[in-house]
Amino acid sequence: MTLPLCLRDPDAWIAQCTLPLAALGNQIGPVRCADFIGQALRLAEQLPNGKFAINLCENRYLFTLAFCAAIIKQQTTLLPQNRAEATQTHLFEQYAGAYVLHDGAAVTAADLPFININTLNLAGAPCRDIPFINADFLAAIAFTSGSTGQPKANLKPWRTLVESSLINARFILPAGDQCYSVLATVPAQHMWGLETSVLLPLFSNLCVVDSRLLFPQDIQQALTALPEPRLLISTPVHLRAMVLSGLPMPPVEHILCATAPLSTHLAGEVEALFQGELAEVFGCSEVGSMACRRTAEQEVWQLFDGLCFTPFDSHSDNGDGDRAYKAGQICEGGTMSAAHLPCSQTLTDRIEWLGEKAFRLLGRSDDMIEIAGKRGSVQEMNKLLLSAPGVTDGVVFMPEPDLSHQKITRPVALVVAPTKTKADLVMHFAKHLDPVFIPRPLLLVESLPREENGKLPRGKLLAFFNKVKLQLT
Amino acid sequence: MAEQTSAQLDVAELLVEALNLEDIAAADIDPQEPLFGTGLGLDSIDALEIALAISQKYGVQMQADDQNTRNAFANLATLTDFIHAHATK
């Protein structure tokens, strides 16, 4: 069985290039689907041989071109959790025949084969024939933090990506066949950015901007330059900055936000600022997007069709099989399955079921943390800390969140390392982790308040942390 | 470490406050030390927080595609100069 690489009309606008790209003859403006396919085919011809491509392209259009070209050439795209050099080297050791594919902006680890696709010539004739791809072809592997400390590989066959994109389009995009101008503040490499800013435009009527913007004024200018109707893809951190900047924003009819989670209050402010509707989307790298809600108006999540949740503590004797939960039941995790997923996936969230497709999210597991749409494991950070040379004891943990400002809560580290400096330890983390997960503060202490059995109860740890902080000021 | 000016100390205090750098004293930030990467080790979320704090206190909006902004984020001294060249309040 084969499935198309995209489902757009050859003449439809699929992307908007705002930055001059040498590979495309520095052309700026909207790109038609037929031109996109032509460029992807030309790139596929010029890719090096290999089985795996580590796609680190910063430019969203070049990322999408490279992602599709790799699929056409039957190469699996590896989507690392971060750009750290140690991560690239680790992937290269695990996946024989891997190479790094970038557009000039990435720092590649020494000794790895790489190609800067922005130095190639991709301009040329459009192609109106959409390639078909084997449905079982392993299009991508998305890596997430595993609780074991090793990154977990989540397999994404083409069938999974196509079918989940069609489901996502139905649940998170506005109805109707208007073409939306899309701006995204999230990287294409993470599952949320991949699903919304790379895959959705291949299957729905979206024209996505190539740049990834951060500062509110840049976002304001880029949005203003786009034709209406507009759609914004973002996260709570970025949306909060836009609201607090006090800058007026042009109307954005639809805003998609990854859950972190987002407060009802901020959701209301975002809707007022953009005069549009905000849909918060619940998902994870293992499954992809699963549920959404209009956060300003509703607390309850709506599970997408095609997905089925089975709680861990459900009894198998409830008869009809497709109703594995009872209304009002609170479950500590469970499994999510769907016809398009290669296997069912474990969710560690606390969920209260309210009906067949409706639930309340009561919290994520203590181990997994999420910062700006990226997920990290506290356990993994602890292993990393204890593996640092010179560290005799130490702990990484999440302090109590500062709920009053919706500011980011960062992991904190208390470290016993008599021969090391703070800078040594920060450097050690920086080699392996995305910068947002580097503990802050990282404090050197003489010892940790461990109990006789070696345990470090949370209450004691927080009290100790507060005491150490007080001594600082 | 080079000595801080009083304008630099004001900006350093803003950074410590906005970024929850509880383990760093504002007066200890070297005006010439890089803010991002190896120095203070700030990241893109910090850039967003700094931009926000600066827009609220000084009325200065930062833009990424502006070479001035990239230069401004180099260290405390350049950031302070940038703010004072553009401050509207």
Side-chain angles (χ1 to χ4, degrees):
Chain A
M1 180 184 163
T2 59
L3 290 167
L5 183 67
C6 89
L7 277 177
R8 301 291 301 277
D9 184 288
D11 292 318
W13 304 120
I14 192 165
Q16 175 92 20
C17 285
T18 61
L19 305 164
L21 296 169
L24 304 172
N26 297 314
Q27 287 252 348
I28 283 180
V31 181
R32 290 189 193 279
C33 181
D35 288 307
F36 167 74
I37 298 290
Q39 291 162 8
L41 288 167
R42 268 187 296 286
L43 176 55
E45 288 163 9
Q46 298 175 66
L47 288 182
N49 288 323
K51 277 169 83 174
F52 302 98
I54 305 172
N55 189 335
L56 299 182
C57 289
E58 281 270 342
N59 181 285
R60 202 177 307 276
Y61 184 66
L62 288 179
F63 176 94
T64 311
L65 266 183
F67 182 76
C68 290
I71 291 173
I72 293 167
K73 204 177 156 82
Q74 300 270 297
Q75 295 180 347
T76 300
T77 295
L78 303 182
L79 299 165
Q81 294 162 279
N82 58 55
R83 299 166 166 274
E85 291 176 40
T87 307
Q88 297 173 30
T89 307
H90 186 69
L91 279 182
F92 187 67
E93 286 163 2
Q94 276 193 308
Y95 293 87
Y99 66 94
V100 173
L101 202 159
H102 71 102
D103 56 8
V107 177
T108 53
D111 306 335
L112 297 198
F114 66 88
I115 179 172
N116 175 352
I117 64 166
N118 203 18
T119 60
L120 306 174
N121 181 8
L122 305 177
C127 170
R128 301 182 70 86
D129 295 321
I130 297 200
F132 273 71
I133 309 298
N134 186 331
D136 295 323
F137 170 65
L138 184 57
I141 305 180
F143 293 89
T144 45
S145 295
S147 48
T148 57
Q150 282 299 315
K152 187 173 151 215
N154 300 292
L155 308 184
K156 305 289 176 184
W158 187 235
R159 175 207 311 276
T160 300
L161 297 180
V162 174
E163 291 180 13
S164 60
S165 297
L166 297 177
I167 294 172
N168 292 346
R170 225 167 75 225
F171 282 85
I172 68 178
L173 290 183
D177 51 9
Q178 273 181 301
C179 184
Y180 280 77
S181 308
V182 178
L183 186 75
T185 65
V186 292
Q189 279 82 0
H190 291 110
M191 205 54 200
W192 167 243
L194 183 81
E195 278 192 298
T196 51
S197 71
V198 175
L199 292 165
L200 273 181
L202 296 176
F203 300 98
S204 311
N205 222 353
L206 304 178
C207 175
V208 65
V209 175
D210 58 348
S211 58
R212 178 189 159 207
L213 302 172
L214 182 67
F215 297 117
Q217 189 162 26
D218 291 324
I219 292 166
Q220 177 202 42
Q221 286 179 359
L223 283 172
T224 308
L226 292 177
E228 291 192 67
R230 306 181 182 99
L231 189 144
L232 177 65
I233 297 166
S234 196
T235 73
V237 190
H238 297 137
L239 291 172
R240 171 181 162 271
M242 294 175 219
V243 167
L244 292 179
S245 74
L247 292 170
M249 292 285 173
V252 175
E253 202 173 287
H254 208 74
I255 301 130
L256 299 175
C257 178
T259 184
L262 179 72
S263 72
T264 311
H265 180 72
L266 180 58
E269 287 183 318
V270 171
E271 292 205 348
L273 177 65
F274 291 104
Q275 302 160 54
E277 280 191 18
L278 179 147
E280 185 182 3
V281 181
F282 171 64
C284 63
S285 297
E286 291 84 345
V287 179
S289 297
M290 291 176 268
C292 66
R293 62 177 181 176
R294 171 109 184 258
T295 312
E297 294 184 351
Q298 65 192 114
E299 183 203 0
V300 172
W301 294 88
Q302 167 93 39
L303 185 69
F304 298 168
D305 286 349
L307 289 158
C308 176
F309 182 79
T310 314
F312 282 141
D313 43 10
S314 72
H315 300 291
S316 52
D317 59 351
N318 58 2
D320 52 5
D322 59 355
R323 279 213 44 170
Y325 52 84
K326 296 185 195 77
Q329 181 184 353
I330 292 177
C331 8
E332 304 285 342
T335 55
M336 192 63 84
S337 53
H340 63 267
L341 290 176
C343 58
S344 61
Q345 297 287 347
T346 300
L347 294 189
T348 53
D349 308 84
R350 289 188 75 218
I351 290 173
E352 179 189 356
W353 285 97
L354 302 166
E356 200 171 343
K357 293 272 175 198
F359 64 90
R360 263 195 207 107
L361 212 49
L362 304 179
R364 290 211 154 173
S365 87
D366 290 339
D367 180 44
M368 294 314 241
I369 55 172
E370 195 161 312
I371 298 179
K374 301 169 185 175
R375 264 173 78 192
S377 153
V378 176
Q379 222 172 322
E380 186 183 338
M381 291 168 208
N382 271 293
K383 285 197 173 167
L384 197 57
L385 173 65
L386 295 174
S387 74
V391 171
T392 54
D393 195 6
V395 62
V396 181
F397 64 99
M398 292 302 282
E400 294 299 303
D402 172 8
L403 294 172
S404 53
H405 298 97
Q406 254 225 340
K407 261 199 175 174
I408 283 187
T409 308
R410 305 216 184 215
V412 168
L414 298 174
V415 190
V416 185
T419 60
K420 294 286 162 185
T421 64
K422 193 184 140 171
D424 295 335
L425 297 165
V426 168
M427 197 81 85
H428 176 73
F429 277 112
K431 260 191 237 159
H432 296 89
L433 289 181
D434 189 286
V436 299
F437 294 120
I438 297 175
R440 182 187 301 172
L442 187 154
L443 302 172
L444 287 167
V445 293
E446 274 175 25
S447 63
L448 293 176
R450 289 194 185 274
E451 294 186 332
E452 274 178 22
N453 57 11
K455 282 189 180 162
L456 200 54
R458 183 167 170 87
K460 237 176 158 171
L461 182 62
L462 289 177
F464 177 70
F465 173 50
N466 285 330
K467 205 177 92 195
V468 176
K469 267 201 305 189
L470 274 180
Q471 285 167 357
L472 286 173
T473 50
Chain B
M1 153 176 162
E3 203 156 314
Q4 281 180 359
T5 64
S6 73
Q8 287 167 351
L9 181 61
D10 284 349
V11 176
E13 277 166 359
L14 182 85
L15 293 185
V16 168
E17 160 82 28
L19 306 179
N20 295 334
L21 300 174
E22 299 150 47
D23 50 338
I24 294 171
D28 289 347
I29 299 179
D30 185 334
Q32 306 298 335
E33 184 187 33
L35 294 175
F36 293 83
T38 51
L40 275 183
L42 305 185
D43 56 46
S44 70
I45 295 172
D46 294 314
L48 202 55
E49 290 292 348
I50 296 172
L52 201 55
I54 288 172
S55 73
Q56 287 173 335
K57 182 161 178 196
Y58 298 99
V60 177
Q61 295 288 349
M62 319 271 308
Q63 281 184 285
D65 54 358
D66 182 344
Q67 189 61 42
N68 287 332
T69 298
R70 275 193 292 258
N71 297 342
F73 275 125
N75 54 45
L76 179 62
T78 55
L79 187 61
T80 308
D81 292 346
F82 176 85
I83 291 170
H84 288 282
H86 296 86
T88 58
K89 56 183 178 193

